[in-house]
Amino acid sequence: MTLFELQAWLGHRSPESTQHYAKISPNTLTKAYEDAGYFARNVRTIEVLVDRDAVASGAAADGDPWQHYDLGHGYCTYTFFEQCQHRMACARCDFYTPKDSSRAQLLEAKDNLQRMRATIPLTDEEQAAVDDGQTALSQLLDRLADIPTPSGTTPRQLLPIVEVRRDADDDDR
């Protein structure tokens, strides 16, 4: 019953009188939340994947990650995920591993940041934020280059990254 229905049923003139006599137990409150569908609407579930090989081999005891929280776009290996201070800023976190499928999105995001830098006049603070974003995306892409493909080789092994250097003589030309 609602407070007003209970008030009418008990014959009280004011809701304050009804509240004084009606004590709500934790079980009653939980049932009310359940009936209203509060938990179903407000609880988000994160799938936790357990690396059984790491647990069985003892690698987990040596500190290797064994618990992976599936965020949709990547995995978080932070043991205390629910207390993470980096929420929504996973790119800066060392516990985050992007999924291989997000590589194209990361490259596109990096390109968009470069385009923004070239076409939009930015304040020094905005410029620093764009530079910080580019650094974070570069680090993520670099980590993805070391994740093995289904054949066992890494993208870095398939397409070695060659560093290009300019000689001092080139500056004179």
Side-chain angles (χ1 to χ4, degrees), residues 27-172:
N27 290 343
T28 305
L29 186 59
T30 302
K31 179 151 177 27
Y33 274 121
E34 211 171 275
D35 292 344
Y38 177 80
F39 295 119
R41 285 192 319 267
N42 294 306
V43 174
R44 293 188 178 104
T45 57
I46 298 286
E47 187 173 332
V48 181
L49 306 173
V50 175
D51 184 352
R52 293 177 188 259
D53 293 337
V55 173
S57 70
D62 294 335
D64 285 355
W66 61 276
Q67 220 172 345
H68 303 274
Y69 296 90
D70 189 348
L71 306 175
H73 48 77
Y75 298 102
C76 179
T77 59
Y78 185 50
T79 307
F80 302 103
F81 171 75
E82 64 280 351
Q83 301 170 11
C84 182
Q85 63 184 351
H86 297 286
R87 294 280 174 128
M88 304 306 294
C90 298
R92 292 178 180 83
C93 184
D94 292 333
F95 293 105
Y96 177 71
T97 303
K99 288 183 177 178
D100 289 337
S101 59
S102 62
R103 182 166 168 53
Q105 291 172 330
L106 293 171
L107 287 170
E108 185 178 1
K110 189 174 177 185
D111 182 55
N112 289 340
L113 286 173
Q114 290 172 343
R115 190 175 304 114
M116 181 187 300
R117 191 172 190 207
T119 59
I120 300 173
L122 301 172
T123 65
D124 290 341
E125 190 174 297
E126 292 168 333
Q127 183 69 40
V130 169
D131 291 343
D132 187 38
Q134 282 185 312
T135 301
L137 287 171
S138 293
Q139 289 172 346
L140 279 176
L141 288 166
D142 194 44
R143 287 192 338 212
L144 276 174
D146 295 322
I147 294 175
T149 62
S151 67
T153 56
T154 66
R156 196 181 307 275
Q157 291 169 330
L158 292 171
L159 300 168
I161 298 172
V162 178
E163 188 176 329
V164 178
R165 295 185 184 169
R166 288 179 48 173
D167 291 335
D169 297 339
D170 292 341
D171 291 338
D172 297 336

